[in-house]
Amino acid sequence: MSLANGRHYLAIPGPSVIPDPVLQAMHRPAPNIYTGELVDITHGLVPDLKTIAGTSGHMAMYISNGHGLWEASLTNMVSRGDKVLVCLTGNFGVGWADVATRLGLEVETLDFGKHAPVDPAQLEAALRADTTHTIKAVMTVHVDTATSVRNDIAAMRKAIDAAGHPAVFAVDCIASLGCDRFEMDAWGVDVMIAASQKGLMTPPGMGFVWFSDKAFSEGKAANLRTPYWDWTTRAEPFHLYEYFDGTPPTHHIYGLRQAVDMILDEGLENVWARHATLAGAYWAAIDQWGSDGALRFNITDPAHRSHAVTTLNLGNGDGTRLRDWLTENLGITLGISLGFGAIGSDESHGYFRIGHMGHINAHMVLGIVGAIETSFTALDIPHGIGGSVAASSFLSQIGTQARVAPSENTGGCCG
Amino acid sequence: MSLANGRHYLAIPGPSVIPDPVLQAMHRPAPNIYTGELVDITHGLVPDLKTIAGTSGHMAMYISNGHGLWEASLTNMVSRGDKVLVCLTGNFGVGWADVATRLGLEVETLDFGKHAPVDPAQLEAALRADTTHTIKAVMTVHVDTATSVRNDIAAMRKAIDAAGHPAVFAVDCIASLGCDRFEMDAWGVDVMIAASQKGLMTPPGMGFVWFSDKAFSEGKAANLRTPYWDWTTRAEPFHLYEYFDGTPPTHHIYGLRQAVDMILDEGLENVWARHATLAGAYWAAIDQWGSDGALRFNITDPAHRSHAVTTLNLGNGDGTRLRDWLTENLGITLGISLGFGAIGSDESHGYFRIGHMGHINAHMVLGIVGAIETSFTALDIPHGIGGSVAASSFLSQIGTQARVAPSENTGGCCG
Amino acid sequence: MSLANGRHYLAIPGPSVIPDPVLQAMHRPAPNIYTGELVDITHGLVPDLKTIAGTSGHMAMYISNGHGLWEASLTNMVSRGDKVLVCLTGNFGVGWADVATRLGLEVETLDFGKHAPVDPAQLEAALRADTTHTIKAVMTVHVDTATSVRNDIAAMRKAIDAAGHPAVFAVDCIASLGCDRFEMDAWGVDVMIAASQKGLMTPPGMGFVWFSDKAFSEGKAANLRTPYWDWTTRAEPFHLYEYFDGTPPTHHIYGLRQAVDMILDEGLENVWARHATLAGAYWAAIDQWGSDGALRFNITDPAHRSHAVTTLNLGNGDGTRLRDWLTENLGITLGISLGFGAIGSDESHGYFRIGHMGHINAHMVLGIVGAIETSFTALDIPHGIGGSVAASSFLSQIGTQARVAPSENTGGCCG
Amino acid sequence: MSLANGRHYLAIPGPSVIPDPVLQAMHRPAPNIYTGELVDITHGLVPDLKTIAGTSGHMAMYISNGHGLWEASLTNMVSRGDKVLVCLTGNFGVGWADVATRLGLEVETLDFGKHAPVDPAQLEAALRADTTHTIKAVMTVHVDTATSVRNDIAAMRKAIDAAGHPAVFAVDCIASLGCDRFEMDAWGVDVMIAASQKGLMTPPGMGFVWFSDKAFSEGKAANLRTPYWDWTTRAEPFHLYEYFDGTPPTHHIYGLRQAVDMILDEGLENVWARHATLAGAYWAAIDQWGSDGALRFNITDPAHRSHAVTTLNLGNGDGTRLRDWLTENLGITLGISLGFGAIGSDESHGYFRIGHMGHINAHMVLGIVGAIETSFTALDIPHGIGGSVAASSFLSQIGTQARVAPSENTGGCCG
């Protein structure tokens, strides 16, 4: 007998749960790509996706996954041999830096390890040291999907400004857009990338680059640009096929339209608050479980934790043991360890991740909390008792007080 | 902000959660109804649905809901003016009795109230008193969807036999088939009815009557029979259209085929064990919550509780208050009170029901447990602390011991 | 190699082609059945379905197929032993009469054969002869799905009135509603039935009975009524479950809503005109093919032909030979012979039917015309050359003149 | 009234009609991307897609449309400043050449106009003239989607060999794979590209590059390669994410699996023969229509016509007039003119295209033929009478003789 035989819940940090109406919208015949509904929907997506990004700037859409967006953003921003400064806080910053290197850029890194966010002071210092302004771009992830750290983008902008450095500021929001608050223009971001399959709740296959006037203007001379990645025509197309440099991703467009409608109907502030509150429920449970036994947050300070994914360490291979048992027995799949220890090592298998991005509600979260609690006992993993009670207690405050993850409103750089 | 904006969970006692592959199987063009796949699938459903019912007898399929099956079964079993004995344990027995009355039958009832199962001894006594055998049928529900009581069908059969009474024995398994153990032939049931939208995990719109040789043979003279409900041709059709007396329910057939495959792939014993275990998890939480405050099981003795639905009483209108808050805030919908107190009364609004039938797993159950626990605190409803811990603890025993709801293996007629 | 491997077209007289948006609307989780969207949609369907029927009277909805509606209508109209007069013009009148007989009614028939419509004069004479008004109901089909004859309902009403007969007038529009013009109130119809899977473009499984004040009032004393078929509560429900006497057909309701929207968006007059024009295209081709060889309309006079189905006779078993070849080789399935000759006989296999009801357009029709023309040559079946040219020529007049099937505007009782 | 209100048929040269089972397969929750079904399916696609391409070489899969594949193939084959020779026969060769230019390659072209295929003799001459072998790649389209010309790939290979030239030979089969016969290894092709949305019957969003050992080996030094397009890891991945350089296109993978199953179940030879025969039906009708009036094939010689798309010229803006009328009135959408005359000019609007690729059968084709015939009359466009009769006559030979488009077996370089 298995207790998994019901509606399976894939709680990984992307692809996230796809709402039924999104799948429904995608189940249709191939549409006319010359005129009519598809063209109108595509036009309409642009302003709405800018709203979600918090920008009045430009946007290019791609048939691509997130790795492609790394290439799309770099090839439009800088030229062969240019130097970029990448602030590393986990796997995905490393990945973007690697793409930069392979594209022929000179890559300087500031590595903040896997357990902490970017320190704006160090960034400022590095930029001040670059007195000749050879650094053309500062790159970072907003949230690193592997470590679940969330960087303070506004503070990084302030550091760049404080150093008086002209580099464009590029941020990877793949794991955060539509989950964690992000305000592109207000925070002074020049280039931002995100993909369809996380906070945007649509299957993998589409990606987006938003960019400021400055980035657009300075990037015109970028010589890494290739026809497919060139954001120029995509941002200011004349025909539908120019949005996507050829055949558009017809079915994704319909799905994305539905997803964007759901986000705007709920309201961005509400979407962010929902993510913050549900993350808070997880953290309350984890705080309780971690009060005894080995379970630890990868990011100690809640002010620096993503609201979309939480990376945990159980130690001693127990992360994988837990994941396997949960999938087999209780009907959920959690995220694997990424970037901790050698692949296959005990250290690596000690980590696991919970995705809590996009189309999630309290029931889904509380079910995971209960399932993890069940697995601790079933697998004889020492833990503090009452994580589920703590999560319920945290959520029960809805309506009676502000719903902000508790540790976050006690100072912290995010204010 | 609402924490409900994710995958909503409708945890009512039917329609139950429809598996994605069932919906997928139903999303197709209209099929050829003369020959080919649809005909083959329809033929193949019959033996498989008999297997699920535990019978080598006969079966008729209908385009109908459960109320129609009440009429289908009665009109084939008995004749105008015949007497039937209906054992009442809640709303649905009452409903079936009412149909019998409206069909012109003489209805005798044994009413066991809303909080207890049929007492086989009283049934035996009533049948012994019917020395002239004017009672043509004994009718009962296996599980009453309103009260969540589960009757001991095998014990009722023994009582009928002990009384030496020849009445046919008819059982409504609408709320139990594919959830609670049911063995039609082994338990001596003559007529059994079930519908598509509960344990069979398919949208409402199809129903089934299984019947023994005895019921088939004795029913041939039944003069209440109407062309649509007549089970004769449906059970032994020559053409596809005779299975359903006209156009078949094409899309339901595809969906049901998928659902039946899922049940048989999992194995009936495993399906029953899953339901028993998940019911046990709910009950462990409820036991704990009920240790303080007003929450009470409608059926005190776990040996008499359905594994598919649990009826609870919070008193004082709090049942409805809880339900509304959960739907609005946490993303789940529980079942309403049915048959307790006057409609709209405080008594009525004190009750609510949890559906746990069909396509459910531990994650879904634990999420409900956590959500209820959350709501208790949010709504200031007194309750014993730690229901979620109790549920997790109960489920954590998977694999290390038999998974039977605890109180059920301590005596009880179901042994 | 087969040329059938594309989008198969099931051109039978029901189930008809289901529009993609209808299937899309049905692909969803089980909805809340207590409150909210489903309840609102169900309420909203009633006035819209009355509009489609052309009545301000009453309506009851059923989980049922067409055969069930025969029973639903009769059991609410008349009482055991009552006499009904059934006007026969093919299989489906016979079927309804058979249900009446099996329900214990006295059935008088007027049989107009399989190749002609009801003659109102004979109806009037029969009613005049019933001087004591023992006939309680006059029953007929609007269109017989087997013979494809269309009866003149308004003329039948006039005949009843001319005879001064008080019988209720009941019409089966299963094969015509949403295809052929039908105006219930204007034409003086008391009871009308239709099902979901033809002109209403939704999968089989729902049916409807519309009825006038007179039928409602006189039917109150009908003693054949059973709880399931009783139209009283269904027509004036207080709770959602009363619409369907129990669990509603949740997914059909969503599909039907979409289908009804499509009909109303197009406009009933336009829907009828589309069917008339497309039928005219078929007939133009058939006229041409029939100018040589054996092919014949079952109904000679176009004024009496259905706009939803056309029954043809090729003679000598060639109907079945044609059907099989088309399915195997060209990707379409036509309707089988129904009610002509003994099953399996050469006569029976000489007939076939083309369904042209519901979600059909010129492309679909012209493809069938071309496919039949292809098959004639492939199978060496003698035929007049140029049927496809005739069909195209007929359709090419769109926009330049009224689009009425040509022979219909040259006299005929339908004016 | 419109006769378009049925199942719309989008008969453009891609995206093509998506089979219902493909859409059904894509309507599912996000799958586990670490292990299990999705991983297995992805692995299994590789050998099957090689079978469809006729190669035992290598393959890389991309989240991309066709334009991306132009970039993918070039960046892996050649280096900055290399010279490539592009044989032009319409828009898509021009497009590929333009990408090459923008990537910094030196592009030499052989332009064969818009109405004729590549002349292998001219290719041979050009290569002989390149005595120093500065040309690194010879590029061509198999079928140009704009002109509908089909080039003789085997003959081009022979020309390259005859010239003793070592250039890699790269072919764009986007508009032909799964439609026209293509045998990569047998025909000596080194690099081939195709996308999901044409013969592969899956929504736009995936693309493929197949390549020989030679291309793989010589390409290792290519310095245009970027991380996203790099085919190395994609062709020999260790983890699932390496197949797609990051998140896989989960839903496309499921859809493509279904489409590939349908192709292999039918058999490649049968798929090709079906396309050839259905193209032949169109051509028979067009030959007849063109016998009077202005309608002309863009490619006169049937031996050089694609089996997947046919480009036609009606002259004088009538192409667009025809297209618009058909969409508005009869329920089909044909392909627009591409590359003929200035955009918006009368010349441009004289052209239109019929897509007949992928999931198509005789019914669909005959419906288009009938619809065009209808529109000619409706719009008073002079044409030879009897195109539909000619198409039916052509198709009626199925089973009695070889089904090869007639003019193709009378000589021609494809022999």
Side-chain angles (χ1 to χ4, degrees), chain A residues 24, chain B residues 27, chain C residues 17-27 200-203 251-252 254-260 262:
Chain A
Q24 214 179 15
Chain B
H27 196 144
Chain C
V17 171
I18 305 164
D20 286 309
V22 171
L23 288 170
Q24 215 179 13
M26 296 180 71
H27 196 144
L200 296 178
M201 311 184 294
T202 303
H251 289 64
H252 272 78
Y254 279 101
L256 184 65
R257 178 68 262 171
Q258 180 61 39
V260 166
M262 292 174 75

Side-chain angles (χ1 to χ4, degrees), chain C residues 29-249:
Chain C
N32 188 333
I33 58 170
Y34 308 131
T35 60
E37 188 184 52
L38 183 78
V39 178
D40 297 341
I41 288 177
T42 306
H43 284 314
L45 277 172
V46 176
D48 288 342
L49 286 166
K50 288 182 186 173
T51 295
I52 290 176
T55 186
S56 60
H58 311 274
M59 189 186 72
M61 300 188 278
Y62 295 89
I63 300 177
S64 173
N65 60 13
H67 284 43
L69 300 175
W70 287 341
E71 190 159 318
S73 53
L74 284 168
T75 53
N76 280 288
M77 287 197 300
V78 288
S79 290
R80 198 164 293 109
D82 277 355
K83 185 195 276 191
V84 295
L85 175 64
V86 188
C87 299
L88 305 179
T89 55
N91 254 44
F92 287 84
V94 172
W96 203 2
D98 179 55
V99 167
T101 302
R102 292 172 68 191
L103 285 171
L105 299 169
E106 185 182 347
V107 176
E108 183 179 329
T109 59
L110 284 176
D111 193 343
F112 301 91
K114 295 177 176 170
H115 311 285
V118 170
D119 173 3
Q122 292 185 46
L123 171 60
E124 184 180 335
L127 292 175
R128 284 188 189 278
D130 178 39
T131 51
T132 57
H133 295 171
T134 57
I135 293 170
K136 297 304 178 197
V138 173
M139 294 150 55
T140 193
V141 297
H142 184 206
V143 162
D144 191 283
T145 327
T147 61
S148 76
V149 74
R150 185 183 63 209
N151 289 307
D152 185 343
I153 301 303
M156 290 180 71
R157 171 81 261 171
K158 282 180 196 150
I160 298 168
D161 290 348
H165 200 287
V168 295
F169 184 29
V171 181
D172 170 339
C173 290
I174 291 174
S176 65
L177 194 78
C179 307
D180 283 272
R181 174 182 299 275
F182 182 81
E183 304 178 34
M184 182 164 170
D185 288 356
W187 293 357
V189 173
D190 290 306
V191 174
M192 191 271 280
I193 61 176
S196 54
Q197 78 274 13
K198 308 221 175 186
L200 296 178
M201 311 184 294
T202 303
M206 276 187 87
F208 316 91
V209 180
W210 293 258
F211 48 101
S212 65
D213 283 341
K214 172 182 172 173
F216 199 2
S217 160
E218 295 187 3
K220 285 192 192 300
N223 72 7
L224 278 173
R225 184 175 287 130
T226 68
Y228 189 76
W229 300 123
D230 191 348
W231 66 26
T232 314
T233 319
R234 290 177 184 256
E236 295 175 348
F238 192 73
H239 295 104
L240 180 65
Y241 80 87
E242 294 175 313
Y243 270 119
F244 295 101
D245 190 28
T247 306

Side-chain angles (χ1 to χ4, degrees), chain A residues 60 106 110 191 223 256 258 318 380 400:
Chain A
E106 184 182 346
L110 285 176
V191 174
N223 73 6
L256 183 65
Q258 179 62 40
D318 276 346
D380 282 326
T400 62

Side-chain angles (χ1 to χ4, degrees), chain B residues 9-62:
Chain B
Y9 175 20
L10 184 75
I12 68 174
S16 64
V17 172
I18 305 164
D20 286 308
V22 171
L23 287 171
Q24 214 180 15
M26 294 179 72
H27 196 144
R28 67 173 62 236
N32 189 332
I33 58 170
Y34 309 131
T35 59
E37 189 184 53
L38 183 79
V39 179
D40 296 342
I41 288 177
T42 306
H43 284 314
L45 278 172
V46 177
D48 289 341
L49 286 167
K50 288 183 185 174
T51 295
I52 290 176
T55 185
S56 61
H58 312 273
M59 189 186 73
M61 300 188 278
Y62 295 89

Side-chain angles (χ1 to χ4, degrees), chain B residues 65-413:
Chain B
N65 61 13
H67 283 44
L69 301 174
W70 286 341
E71 190 159 317
S73 53
L74 283 167
T75 53
N76 280 288
M77 285 197 301
V78 289
S79 290
R80 197 164 294 110
D82 277 356
K83 185 195 277 190
V84 295
L85 176 65
V86 188
C87 298
L88 305 179
T89 55
N91 254 44
F92 288 84
V94 172
W96 203 1
D98 179 56
V99 167
T101 301
R102 292 172 68 193
L103 284 171
L105 299 169
E106 185 182 345
V107 176
E108 182 180 329
T109 58
L110 284 176
D111 193 342
F112 300 91
K114 294 177 176 171
H115 311 285
V118 170
D119 174 3
Q122 291 185 47
L123 170 60
E124 183 180 337
L127 292 174
R128 283 189 190 278
D130 178 38
T131 50
T132 56
H133 295 170
T134 57
I135 293 170
K136 296 304 178 196
V138 172
M139 294 151 55
T140 193
V141 298
H142 185 206
V143 162
D144 190 283
T145 327
T147 61
S148 77
V149 74
R150 187 183 61 209
N151 289 306
D152 185 344
I153 301 303
M156 290 180 71
R157 172 82 261 171
K158 282 180 197 150
I160 297 168
D161 289 348
H165 199 287
V168 295
F169 184 28
V171 181
D172 171 337
C173 290
I174 291 174
S176 65
L177 194 77
C179 307
D180 283 272
R181 173 182 299 276
F182 182 80
E183 306 179 32
M184 182 165 170
D185 288 357
W187 293 358
V189 173
D190 290 307
V191 174
M192 190 272 279
I193 60 175
S196 54
Q197 79 273 13
K198 309 220 173 186
L200 295 179
M201 310 185 293
T202 304
M206 276 187 87
F208 314 92
V209 181
W210 292 259
F211 47 102
S212 66
D213 283 341
K214 174 182 171 174
F216 200 1
S217 159
E218 295 187 2
K220 286 191 193 301
N223 71 7
L224 279 172
R225 185 176 287 133
T226 68
Y228 190 76
W229 299 123
D230 190 348
W231 67 26
T232 313
T233 318
R234 290 178 185 257
E236 294 176 348
F238 192 73
H239 295 103
L240 180 65
Y241 80 87
E242 294 176 314
Y243 270 119
F244 295 100
D245 190 28
T247 306
T250 51
H251 289 64
H252 272 78
I253 290 172
Y254 279 100
L256 183 64
R257 177 69 262 172
Q258 180 61 39
V260 166
D261 282 346
M262 292 175 75
I263 290 172
L264 298 181
D265 286 352
E266 183 175 356
L268 258 181
E269 291 286 346
N270 288 328
V271 169
W272 294 333
R274 175 166 54 83
H275 280 83
T277 306
L278 293 175
Y282 274 122
W283 303 348
I286 295 162
D287 277 336
Q288 185 60 26
W289 292 327
S291 67
D292 194 5
L295 184 68
R296 294 292 176 270
F297 283 107
N298 185 55
I299 303 299
T300 310
D301 185 345
H304 301 311
R305 285 185 209 138
S306 160
H307 291 162
V309 53
T310 297
T311 303
L312 295 165
N313 185 8
L314 251 183
N316 200 29
D318 275 347
T320 297
R321 198 158 66 99
L322 182 91
R323 283 189 67 253
D324 289 349
W325 193 88
L326 286 169
T327 298
E328 182 72 24
N329 291 286
L330 302 194
I332 60 179
T333 297
L334 301 184
I336 58 171
S337 167
L338 214 58
F340 296 95
I343 291 181
S345 68
D346 261 16
E347 182 186 351
S348 172
H349 285 303
Y351 283 83
F352 67 101
R353 294 174 296 157
I354 306 172
H356 35 92
M357 46 177 54
H359 191 57
I360 55 164
N361 60 23
H363 170 260
M364 296 160 82
V365 166
L366 290 164
I368 296 273
V369 167
I372 292 176
E373 192 153 285
T374 301
S375 70
F376 283 153
T377 305
L379 299 174
D380 281 326
I381 295 174
H383 64 288
I385 301 299
S388 54
V389 174
S392 284
S393 174
F394 178 77
L395 289 178
S396 68
Q397 300 157 28
I398 296 172
T400 62
Q401 63 167 73
R403 277 159 309 284
V404 177
S407 42
E408 283 189 279
N409 53 15
T410 59
C413 62

Side-chain angles (χ1 to χ4, degrees), chain A residues 10 18 23 27-28 30-31 34 65 67-68 71 80 102 197 204 226-230 244-245 247-248 250-251 335, chain D residues 10 18 23 27-28 30-31 34 65 67-68 71 80 102 197 204 226-230 244-245 247-248 250-251 335:
Chain A
L10 184 75
I18 305 164
L23 287 172
H27 195 144
R28 65 173 62 235
Y34 308 130
N65 61 13
H67 283 45
E71 190 158 318
R80 198 163 294 109
R102 292 171 68 192
Q197 78 274 14
T226 69
Y228 190 77
W229 299 122
D230 190 348
F244 295 100
D245 190 27
T247 306
T250 51
H251 289 63
Chain D
L10 184 75
I18 306 163
L23 288 171
H27 195 144
R28 67 173 62 235
Y34 308 131
N65 61 13
H67 284 43
E71 190 158 318
R80 197 166 294 110
R102 293 173 66 192
Q197 79 274 14
T226 68
Y228 190 76
W229 300 123
D230 191 347
F244 296 99
D245 190 27
T247 306
T250 50
H251 289 64

